[in-house]
Amino acid sequence: MATKQKSEWLEWLKAIMIAVIIALLIQNFVFATSIVEGDSMEPTLENGERLIFNKIIYIVDEPKRGDIIIIQQVDKNYVKRVIALPGETVEIKNSELYIDGERYIETFLSEEISSKTGEFGPVHVPQDSYFVMGDNRAISKDSRNGLGYIQRDEIIGRSELIIYPISEWERTK
């Protein structure tokens, strides 16, 4: 009987170890978490919210306009929205965004925030670079003022889900 209990404990221990190893592999190579710091992504994301981001998506695909991405730079990670893609021209005039001369409607921004965007550009986004901004344009450190163009290899993932606080559980867009 003691041998049977010992065998059962070993099986449980193996199962737990396998589960831990799988969880670590998923966290390191597929999904990870990040915390939103500051108000630059309001109203979409708020300070202190925790996100799950997809680390593998940009191995098989390229960032798209509107994606909320995690950017890894030397000093810290940033959460921003992709506004313009490589080779595009960006301009903001009368608080309206223009990409390659055509007005781009930003449905994710409130009228109040959109009206505080100000003037910018035009600038041409270099190849293998992206132009990003926070949704709270008046206070965001982004491609306009501090972050510059984001290199492709600085993008470590796409935000997928708000996991904390639980009342905010939803996909990010």
Side-chain angles (χ1 to χ4, degrees):
M1 177 134 173
T3 311
K4 185 176 180 182
Q5 279 185 326
K6 186 177 179 181
S7 176
E8 192 173 312
W9 275 103
L10 284 174
E11 290 302 316
W12 273 104
L13 187 59
K14 282 185 208 176
I16 290 170
M17 288 179 63
I18 289 171
V20 167
I21 290 169
I22 290 171
L24 289 172
L25 288 172
I26 288 172
Q27 181 181 7
N28 286 321
F29 298 108
V30 182
F31 292 103
T33 60
S34 183
I35 298 173
V36 177
E37 294 178 14
D39 300 325
S40 72
M41 283 300 293
E42 284 186 2
T44 308
L45 301 172
E46 296 178 8
N47 185 41
E49 288 183 333
R50 286 173 175 75
L51 309 171
I52 289 181
F53 68 94
N54 184 334
K55 295 172 83 172
I56 203 166
I57 187 71
Y58 295 135
I59 292 172
V60 297
D61 200 5
E62 292 297 315
K64 293 177 179 45
R65 185 178 350 279
D67 285 358
I68 296 175
I69 60 173
I70 312 303
I71 302 160
Q72 185 174 42
Q73 291 195 335
V74 176
D75 57 340
K76 65 186 274 185
N77 289 354
Y78 296 91
V79 179
K80 300 295 175 191
R81 187 180 297 274
V82 174
I83 299 299
L85 307 174
E88 294 181 331
T89 299
V90 180
E91 183 175 14
I92 301 170
K93 52 187 175 184
N94 301 322
S95 295
E96 294 177 343
L97 176 64
Y98 290 84
I99 298 173
D100 289 338
E102 292 187 31
R103 184 165 180 239
Y104 181 74
I105 306 297
E106 300 174 284
T107 57
F108 45 86
L109 293 183
S110 69
E111 186 69 34
E112 178 186 349
I113 289 176
S114 183
S115 69
K116 295 178 182 177
T117 302
E119 306 287 315
F120 180 80
V123 296
H124 184 75
V125 181
Q127 291 302 323
D128 201 38
S129 296
Y130 294 83
F131 188 91
V132 300
M133 289 195 290
D135 289 356
N136 193 351
R137 303 292 163 74
I139 65 164
S140 177
K141 177 180 178 183
D142 52 39
S143 289
R144 299 169 298 162
N145 56 20
L147 291 183
Y149 300 113
I150 302 303
Q151 300 298 307
R152 177 64 183 83
D153 61 0
E154 293 176 297
I155 300 172
I156 60 171
R158 181 180 73 194
S159 173
E160 296 290 344
L161 182 71
I162 298 170
I163 59 170
Y164 180 83
I166 293 173
S167 63
E168 297 294 321
W169 264 30
E170 61 184 58
R171 287 185 52 87
T172 57
K173 275 291 175 188

